[in-house]
Amino acid sequence: TPTCPRGDCAMPTPSDATVDPSVPTEDPAWRELLAEPAERFERRIGKAKRLIYPRRTAEDWRKASFASDTALAAQLEAIPDNGPRIDTREVSREEFVRDWEQPRRPVVIRGATESWAAGAAGDRQGRGGAWSLGELLRQYGGERFKVGEDDDSYAVWLKLKYYLRYLATSRDDSPLYVFDSSFAERSGTSRLGRDYAPPHYFADDLFRYAGERRRPPYRWFVLGPARSGSYVHIDPLGTSAWNALLQGRKLWALLPPHVPKEVVQPTPKLHGGREAVAWWANVYPKLAAATDPDHRPLTLVQTAGETVYVPGGWWHCVLNLDVTVAVTQNLCPRSSFDSVWRRVVKSRPKMSKRLAERLAVDEPLLHQRTVELAKLPPEEKGGDSSSSSSSSSSSSSSDSDSDSGRRSRPRRDRRSRSRSRQDRRRAPASHRRSRSPAGRRS
């Protein structure tokens, strides 16, 4: 691999690296992409990396050698899949609420994506659903997607074709991760938002009363290669989440809300940094052997066509075992209203005002509950559980969406660093999220 003093050499070329087996190399569009000169792609990937991690050298991206660590790969493949599973064709919504939502128990759901246009993963020729790698390249290769944030919390964007070329051959320890919350709002990618529908179990999302302008970012298009993922976190505002996987496999570790932060996010710096893959390599083995059974994570391997339900307050760390394509959404279910409301009032007062106005009209009983909660003394209202971000990017890279270093500044979207200072001041602030992609998601 050539020397990259400024980090421009972001990826090996197909001639000197193995193309990921998930890539449909017999698809004409992919063959054309892989045959193009590498320099142009490397420049753009290198620029994105420097914006997101200005103090990280090119060598730092592969310093831990996770991509070539066969022992780690074997360790990850051997982790047991203990996730309970239900099928939408056999379990009614009422049963789901009674058995899983109200007791706040994670579960893997089958059958929720069968009718989606997003469809199946696709074959080597690129044939598949609308979200297969072949179709994504053909339909959206020229569109930009979010792969992280810079030090000023502005979004860093990459054309999808550049990212897919990187994804196909990346040997980075924790690769860049597409974790994009505005995909359904931009004209060039809005069709993606019509390719799926939330599973019927999650139709009753009380945040809908806040309106699209007031509610925090709540849905993410997620795309990443092996070793990308979301660093361990709790989703914001006490919200619950669902994550539907269209391609590949995701490895999940989940721990209940009462497990202390210092247990799941140890203070000493991890070998490999605050990345999902580093957490699995360094922290998970210790937790799996913990004497306290509550500190032993529930682990599950999510496969294509499965949807994971994460109740509010649960810690979770998500690692992509292969190239994955997914969609995830956060929501406020009725059973979690009290805990979510307390957090919304504290951290998003304008949203809580709008939400209360709508509840007074459409949900008078819930509105009365907000009045009752306001009268309780602080000790009875309960405190916020340590939260993190939402899920998202390679742990420290992306939409923060969850992945890695948590950030306290509001996120702003930006397509170019060339904006004037006045333009930057006008950039809209949105949902507070961690620096890396998350979890929301994973």
Side-chain angles (χ1 to χ4, degrees):
T1 305
T3 303
C4 313
R6 299 181 63 248
D8 291 327
C9 293
M11 57 191 173
T13 61
S15 61
D16 61 11
T18 302
V19 174
D20 189 282
S22 303
V23 171
T25 52
E26 297 177 24
D27 182 329
W30 268 95
R31 283 205 305 269
E32 181 180 349
L33 178 70
L34 295 171
E36 292 188 25
E39 291 76 13
R40 184 173 49 155
F41 299 93
E42 292 171 351
R43 270 198 313 274
R44 285 162 173 80
I45 296 294
K47 180 180 178 181
K49 287 182 172 182
R50 291 193 301 276
L51 288 173
I52 299 167
Y53 296 109
R55 289 168 293 281
R56 183 180 290 188
T57 67
E59 291 73 23
D60 288 339
W61 283 87
R62 303 182 188 180
K63 183 168 59 177
S65 301
F66 287 140
S68 57
D69 190 336
T70 55
L72 174 61
Q75 171 189 319
L76 295 174
E77 291 291 344
I79 292 173
D81 181 356
N82 296 323
R85 282 169 166 78
I86 61 174
D87 195 300
T88 57
R89 293 157 293 198
E90 300 171 357
V91 176
S92 68
R93 185 177 184 281
E94 292 73 21
E95 291 171 323
F96 172 80
V97 171
R98 182 194 67 205
D99 297 336
W100 304 99
E101 181 188 300
Q102 289 182 345
R104 300 192 183 185
R105 298 171 57 202
V107 66
V108 181
I109 302 165
R110 290 172 170 160
T113 66
E114 287 187 349
S115 63
W116 290 4
D123 56 21
R124 300 294 291 176
Q125 288 76 35
R127 296 185 294 258
W131 289 22
S132 65
L133 293 179
E135 284 303 307
L136 289 174
L137 175 59
R138 278 187 288 275
Q139 301 299 326
Y140 305 103
E143 299 295 331
R144 291 177 171 84
F145 287 80
K146 184 180 177 183
V147 295
E149 295 174 352
D150 66 14
D151 277 350
D152 294 321
S153 297
Y154 284 95
V156 176
W157 304 83
L158 268 176
K159 282 188 178 181
L160 187 61
K161 63 180 179 181
Y162 301 143
Y163 179 78
L164 289 174
R165 174 67 177 265
Y166 164 77
L167 166 150
T169 57
S170 176
R171 303 291 291 172
D172 290 342
D173 291 332
S174 180
L176 294 176
Y177 194 22
V178 169
F179 212 91
D180 193 321
S181 63
S182 60
F183 71 97
E185 302 157 22
R186 303 190 303 270
S187 60
T189 58
S190 60
R191 184 170 40 170
L192 291 169
R194 300 190 291 274
D195 288 338
Y196 76 96
H200 71 283
Y201 293 156
F202 311 114
D204 190 21
D205 177 7
L206 295 175
F207 271 2
R208 69 184 183 275
Y209 292 123
E212 289 293 317
R213 289 184 63 252
R214 285 292 181 199
R215 70 178 299 170
Y218 67 100
R219 57 188 171 190
W220 289 264
F221 171 79
V222 189
L223 169 66
R227 300 180 307 284
S228 61
S230 297
Y231 191 70
V232 64
H233 65 281
I234 292 173
D235 286 342
L237 299 177
T239 55
S240 302
W242 58 266
N243 181 304
L245 185 60
L246 282 304
Q247 170 163 330
R249 296 175 300 153
K250 287 179 180 285
L251 179 62
W252 291 72
L254 301 103
L255 296 104
H258 62 265
V259 176
K261 180 178 181 179
E262 58 269 21
V263 171
V264 296
Q265 291 185 347
T267 304
K269 184 176 180 180
L270 301 179
H271 171 63
R274 286 174 60 87
E275 307 286 345
V277 64
W279 188 91
W280 283 96
N282 299 291
V283 180
Y284 170 76
K286 298 176 182 177
L287 294 181
T291 55
D292 187 337
D294 283 349
H295 293 180
R296 297 177 207 151
L298 168 67
T299 55
L300 61 90
V301 179
Q302 179 188 16
T303 59
E306 293 185 327
T307 301
V308 173
Y309 168 63
V310 183
W314 276 70
W315 293 100
H316 49 290
C317 185
V318 190
L319 181 69
N320 294 320
L321 296 176
D322 317 296
V323 172
T324 64
V325 183
V327 62
T328 181
Q329 289 194 186
N330 279 31
L331 70 152
C332 173
R334 202 165 290 262
S335 60
S336 300
F337 179 77
D338 283 13
S339 60
V340 173
W341 177 256
R342 290 192 294 261
R343 290 164 174 79
V344 170
V345 169
K346 181 178 179 180
S347 63
R348 302 185 71 92
K350 291 183 179 179
M351 174 183 165
S352 68
K353 181 179 179 181
R354 167 64 174 166
L355 188 54
E357 291 172 351
R358 285 292 309 275
L359 292 176
V361 176
D362 299 312
E363 299 276 358
L365 292 179
L366 282 179
H367 182 264
Q368 179 59 34
R369 182 58 181 160
T370 67
V371 176
E372 295 169 357
L373 289 171
K375 294 177 181 177
L376 293 177
E379 60 271 14
E380 292 185 41
K381 293 181 182 180
D384 287 341
S385 64
S386 62
S387 122
S388 219
S389 107
S390 110
S391 105
S392 148
S393 133
S394 194
S395 223
S396 83
S397 88
S398 188
D399 210 354
S400 167
D401 293 81
S402 156
D403 272 25
S404 124
R406 316 296 175 201
R407 293 175 63 87
S408 59
R409 289 181 293 234
R411 175 176 60 78
R412 300 174 179 88
D413 284 348
R414 181 190 71 164
R415 297 234 172 176
S416 163
R417 285 186 80 86
S418 62
R419 274 177 129 178
S420 69
R421 290 183 180 274
Q422 184 177 14
D423 288 337
R424 288 165 71 96
R425 284 195 295 271
R426 290 176 180 171
S430 44
H431 188 39
R432 210 174 101 174
R433 303 189 65 76
S434 79
R435 182 182 175 81
S436 63
R440 200 184 214 151
R441 284 139 188 347
S442 337

